[in-house]
Amino acid sequence: MTGIVRAWVDGWVVSRGAAPPAVEPWGFTVDVGLPDHVTRHVLAATGDAVEESAVREVADTVTGTGVWLKVFAHPGVVGPWLGRGWHVDPEPGFLMTAPLTATGPAASGAADGGRALPDGYRLRTWSRGGAGHALVLAADGSWAAHGHVAPTGATAVFDRIETAPAHRRRGLGRTVMRALTGLVVAGGAGTGVLAGTPEGRALYESLGWRVDAPLTSARFTG
């Protein structure tokens, strides 16, 4: 699982334009550079291998606001280990993986040029800066859905899969995932990795993804 976490970190920094990860004894530090997301610390352990002492050690060194902590365990477990000043998202995220093949459920329809889209929608895909991008536009040219994917060798990290509220429940998220899968399968990626939200979990599971570990997100507010 440490390899999956490293793949997720490597792909995330490409997708977000963040600094290359610094390897730490407990995981990785990534400088992001945004006012509300200056730096993030990601512990490499997952599930039962997450140690309270390691979480406390990392959290206790943080003194600046806008620093995030990512731990692959449930918030109900991690929350009590953090001191004052930490805001913990009570809803867990999910570290998820899936086999990527040209014929698997995640790739089905990936190369159909968007023919499965409802009438009026248009799909565009492109690659730039080491990442792949998919965009769905509505009939009036406004944004309807998008997503990004960053190949990391044999793996590919899917990121920021999102559908506008007014366009949900029309299969646009599936179209984006299939289009991105088609991009990276063509480049040789065999395993997909993502950090999903509770809202996105059902979509990903319907495409053959599985949950490997829960994910706690915490932000230091001072």
Side-chain angles (χ1 to χ4, degrees), residues 3-94:
I4 294 297
V5 173
R6 178 60 195 258
W8 177 65
V9 171
D10 285 343
W12 191 91
V13 302
V14 172
S15 175
R16 304 296 178 103
V23 178
E24 311 281 4
W26 38 262
F28 312 96
T29 293
V30 176
D31 288 327
V32 182
L34 299 176
D36 61 348
H37 195 161
V38 182
T39 298
R40 63 164 46 190
H41 301 304
V42 183
L43 273 71
T46 61
D48 293 340
V50 175
E51 297 181 353
E52 178 180 353
S53 59
V55 174
R56 289 185 180 274
E57 176 186 353
V58 177
D60 289 348
T61 65
V62 176
T63 58
T65 59
V67 175
W68 287 74
L69 181 64
K70 299 287 183 173
V71 183
F72 292 101
H74 195 279
V77 173
V78 177
W81 297 345
L82 303 180
R84 295 179 59 186
W86 284 98
H87 170 75
V88 179
D89 188 340
E91 291 287 339
F94 304 97

Side-chain angles (χ1 to χ4, degrees), residues 4 7 96-108 110 148-159 161 174 176-194 203-210:
I4 294 297
M96 304 184 71
T97 58
L100 301 178
T101 67
T103 58
S108 177
H148 312 269
V149 64
T152 56
T155 60
V157 176
F158 292 68
D159 186 36
I161 312 300
R174 297 176 68 88
V176 167
M177 288 294 291
R178 289 168 170 169
L180 295 174
T181 298
L183 289 176
V184 294
V185 167
T191 300
V193 184
L194 62 78
L203 165 65
Y204 305 135
E205 288 183 331
S206 73
L207 293 172
W209 292 68
R210 72 176 189 184

